[in-house]
Amino acid sequence: MQLITVCDFRYLHEAQRLAISLQKSGNRQPLVIFCDDPEVFEPLRCAGCALRVVPEIGTLGAKRAKLTAYTRALAEFGDVLYLDADIIVLSELSHLHKPGALRACPDDLSGCAFITDTRHPWPGDQDLTNHCYFNSGVLHLPATLSGFFERLRQLSLDDKCWNRHIFAGRLYDNHFLCAHINLNDIPVEFLDEDVYNWQGFLRKGELQVVRRGSQLVNRHSGKELKLAHFAGVADVDKALCSLPADVAALLCERSTEDPGRRLFAFTRFQAACNSDFLQPMRDDFVQTVYENARRELLAVADGGWRRDFERQDSYLTDPDGMLSVVYSRPSSQALWNGLQCGGAYLEGDEYNYLSGLVRTFDVRSVLETGAGETSICFQMAGARSRAIESSLGPWLERAQAAGCPACHVPFLSERCEFEPSALDAALSGLNEVDLIFVDSPIGTRSRSRVLTQLMRKVRARLVLFHDVHRDATNIYQYQAEHGLRVVDYLPSRRGMLLLSTGSFAAKSVPRTAADVKLSGVRCSLTTSDTALLMTAGTESNLRITLTNRGSHILSSRYQNSVRVTYHWLDEAGGIVVYDGARTLLPFDIYPGNAATFGLRVLAPQVTGIFTLQIAIVQERVAWFDAREDSLMLAVNVT
C-alpha cells in the first residue's frame, strides 16, 4: 500500500508536516506527493518524499485534479492510501490496507449547515439519493477499482458533468466522488470516525480529545486518535497555538523534524518577529505584553515545569501588574459613530450606556476626568460636559476641536490629586452638575483621592466610575466616605458603576433584550472600498459602515443574532457563492447610530471579475436584503 497526497504550492508546509508525522509515527514507506511545481516541493524530495508532477493541478485546480492523481497512483503502485495534506499522523497505518476494499470515514454532513437536505445533497442532481457519504480526507483505494476511477477522471473533465455533482463554493472532489459512488453502487467499508476522521478531533470547533501519555484519546469513547485533521482550518500554525498546551506539544512534536533545545526554538520565533520592529510601535502596550509574557514563558521553559514560584518574583503573581495587561488592550478597529473603541477608549457598548444614561436620568451637565471621545459622546447625547484632562495631547485636542469645554489640569501622582490651583481655574463658575464621570487617571492608587477632591468643589447627584473591576477598593472607600448608593452597573470588560449621592429611586439604563425577532430593518451600508483586488481563495477585511435608520436595535446578542454577510455574483449576475461567511456586529447599534468595522470576506476559489453583495441577516429569521434593495451594498472585485 503506497501513501500519497495531492496538493498545490499553497500547501507546501502542510505536506511537510504530513511527511514528518508519517515518519515519526513508524510509517517507513516514503510519501508520494502529486504536486504542480516540483521546484517548490524539492525540499521534501530531499527529506525522503517522492514527487509526481500533475499539470492538471495548475489548469483545473488541486481538487479537480485529484482524480487524475488517483488514476496515476493506482496504475503505478496498485493499492494506495490517500491522506489530505492538512493531516498530522499519530500512528503506524499499515492496518488500513485491505486488498480489494474501498475504505473511508463516514460523514453525515453535519458540518455543512448550507445543505438543508442531506438525503439529496447534490443541487444539480436532486433526484440522486445519498445512501453512502464519506470524507475523502483519508481514503484507501484498491487497484481493483482502477477502471472506475479512470472513467470518473474522464467524467470530471466534462464541465457540465463536474458542475452537476459539486456544490459550488463549498464541496468539490469529495462531493463529486460520493455522487458517483452512489450512482454506481460501489461498496464502501467505513472506518471508525472517532479514530480516523475530523469528528474524532475537532467537532464544531470543540476539541474532542485529551492527552494520555504519548496518545490523544477521545474524551467520549476512550478510543485513541490516529489522524488529526485540520480540514477547513485557514492557518494550521495558528490552530496549533490555540490548542491546550499538552495536546499542542504532542502534535507539534510529531510534525516537526528537529524541535531542538527550547531556547533555540524560541530564538527562531523571535527571528520571525524581526520585521515587526522595523517601524516604531503604534502602541507601547504591544511590546510590554510581549516582553512580560516572554519572561514568564522562558522562566518556565528554562527552569522546568515543576518550578516553585512561591518564593520567586513573577509578573503573573503581581496583581497590579497583571491587571495592567488585562485591562490595557490595543484599540479596536471598530468605530462607534466615528469614535474610537477599545484600548484607551470606551467600548462601543459603553458609549451606548453613556447615551442611555443621559436619557434615562435626564443628565444635562457633566464633569468628567479625562477628555476626548467621552466628551464628544456626551455632547452627541445632548449633555454639556466640562472635562479636565491630565495629559496634553490628542484626547484634549479632539475634545476641543469638537467644541467641548475641556482644559489641561496637571495630575500630581505623588499626592494622587489634580494640581489645586489649576483645578480651581478649570472649575470656575461650576458649582453643581448632574453627573461626575471618573474616567482617568488610571485606576487603583491614582484614583484614591480624585472623587473627594472634586466633590469638595462641585455638587453632583450621580457619580459614574469607569474601570470599576480594578478600582473596587477605592469605590468601597468612596461609598463609606460620601454615603454613595449603587444605582446601576454595566458588566463590560472594564466595568461601569453608577452611584447616587442621595436618595434615588432604583432604576437602570435599559439593556438590549435577549429574544427579538425583527420583522424588518431600516439601515444603510457604505464603504470607501468601492473596487477591490483580491487573491482567489484568500480572506480579506472590507471596512464598512452600518447606520441604523430604523426604530429597532441591531444586535448580535439576540438569540437569533443579527450579522453581516455577503454573496458573490459573476459578471453575468449568476450566483457563485450564496450565504458567505458571517461577521458579528462589534456592538449593539441603536436607532440613529452607526458602526464602522471590518467585514470578513473569503474570495471564491476561481479568478475573474465579480460583484460582492453585502447583506444583513437575522439568523433563522430573515434575509433583509431580499425585502429591500437599499439594504444591500455592491462592491466590484477583481
Side-chain angles (χ1 to χ4, degrees), residues 10-11 14 86 230-239 537 539 600 602:
R10 295 172 299 176
Y11 284 84
E14 283 75 7
D86 50 16
F230 289 87
V233 176
D235 188 332
V236 177
D237 287 307
K238 184 176 181 180
E539 185 176 299
R600 173 175 164 250
L602 180 64

Side-chain angles (χ1 to χ4, degrees), residues 367 369 388 423 436 450-458:
L367 168 61
T369 64
I388 53 175
L423 182 64
I436 292 178
V450 166
L451 181 62
T452 296
Q453 185 185 23
L454 295 179
M455 292 186 70
R456 286 173 179 168
K457 301 177 181 295
V458 179

Side-chain angles (χ1 to χ4, degrees), residues 171-214:
L171 300 171
Y172 293 95
D173 57 294
N174 190 84
H175 214 48
F176 184 83
L177 174 57
C178 287
H180 289 270
I181 290 292
N182 282 279
L183 284 168
N184 291 273
D185 293 324
I186 303 293
V188 178
E189 185 176 312
F190 284 132
L191 302 171
D192 191 326
E193 60 185 22
D194 281 353
V195 178
Y196 299 103
N197 209 13
W198 58 266
Q199 295 98 327
F201 180 51
L202 283 170
R203 185 190 289 267
K204 295 183 178 179
E206 182 179 348
L207 189 67
Q208 300 297 303
V209 294
V210 294
R211 181 167 177 175
R212 291 182 185 166
S214 60

Side-chain angles (χ1 to χ4, degrees), residues 164-356:
R164 179 178 173 84
H165 291 120
I166 67 169
F167 202 113
R170 301 284 191 168
L171 300 171
Y172 293 95
D173 57 294
N174 190 84
H175 214 48
F176 184 83
L177 174 57
C178 287
H180 289 270
I181 290 292
N182 282 279
L183 284 168
N184 291 273
D185 293 324
I186 303 293
V188 178
E189 185 176 312
F190 284 132
L191 302 171
D192 191 326
E193 60 185 22
D194 281 353
V195 178
Y196 299 103
N197 209 13
W198 58 266
Q199 295 98 327
F201 180 51
L202 283 170
R203 185 190 289 267
K204 295 183 178 179
E206 182 179 348
L207 189 67
Q208 300 297 303
V209 294
V210 294
R211 181 167 177 175
R212 291 182 185 166
S214 60
Q215 298 177 345
L216 297 182
V217 176
N218 190 283
R219 64 174 74 246
H220 305 293
S221 67
K223 297 175 182 177
E224 177 190 352
L225 182 72
K226 297 188 177 182
L227 298 175
H229 291 247
F230 289 87
V233 176
D235 188 332
V236 177
D237 287 307
K238 184 176 181 180
L240 287 168
C241 292
S242 68
L243 295 171
D246 56 343
V247 174
L250 176 60
L251 292 172
C252 290
E253 189 279 333
R254 288 295 174 89
S255 58
T256 304
E257 191 167 19
D258 181 15
R261 294 182 301 108
R262 289 169 178 159
L263 294 181
F264 174 70
F266 199 83
T267 59
R268 294 172 66 185
F269 168 75
Q270 293 193 111
C273 297
N274 177 59
S275 60
D276 296 322
F277 294 92
L278 294 177
Q279 301 294 332
M281 292 287 176
R282 291 177 57 190
D283 190 332
D284 292 338
F285 160 83
V286 178
Q287 188 167 339
T288 299
V289 172
Y290 171 76
E291 290 178 353
N292 283 290
R294 179 183 62 182
R295 185 169 74 238
E296 294 304 312
L297 176 64
L298 295 182
V300 172
D302 196 33
W305 295 93
R306 302 295 182 267
R307 183 175 179 179
D308 181 5
F309 278 88
E310 186 176 356
R311 295 178 178 84
Q312 301 181 44
D313 291 335
S314 167
Y315 184 77
L316 300 181
T317 59
D318 170 17
D320 289 340
M322 194 61 199
L323 282 171
S324 70
V325 172
V326 171
Y327 293 118
S328 299
R329 191 165 66 175
S331 300
S332 166
Q333 294 300 308
L335 301 178
W336 180 91
N337 290 322
L339 302 182
Q340 293 281 349
C341 297
Y345 308 93
L346 267 61
E347 297 174 2
D349 289 313
E350 292 175 331
Y351 286 122
N352 285 334
Y353 185 80
L354 289 191
S355 296

Side-chain angles (χ1 to χ4, degrees), residues 32-36 45 50-54 57 72 76-77:
V32 177
I33 302 173
F34 288 80
C35 62
D36 57 340
R45 193 199 302 271
L51 303 183
R52 298 291 187 274
V53 179
V54 180
I57 293 177
R72 286 184 52 182
E76 181 177 355
F77 304 113

Side-chain angles (χ1 to χ4, degrees), residues 82-93:
Y82 167 82
L83 298 173
D84 272 349
D86 50 16
I87 287 177
I88 294 177
V89 180
L90 302 172
S91 168
E92 197 273 330
L93 300 176

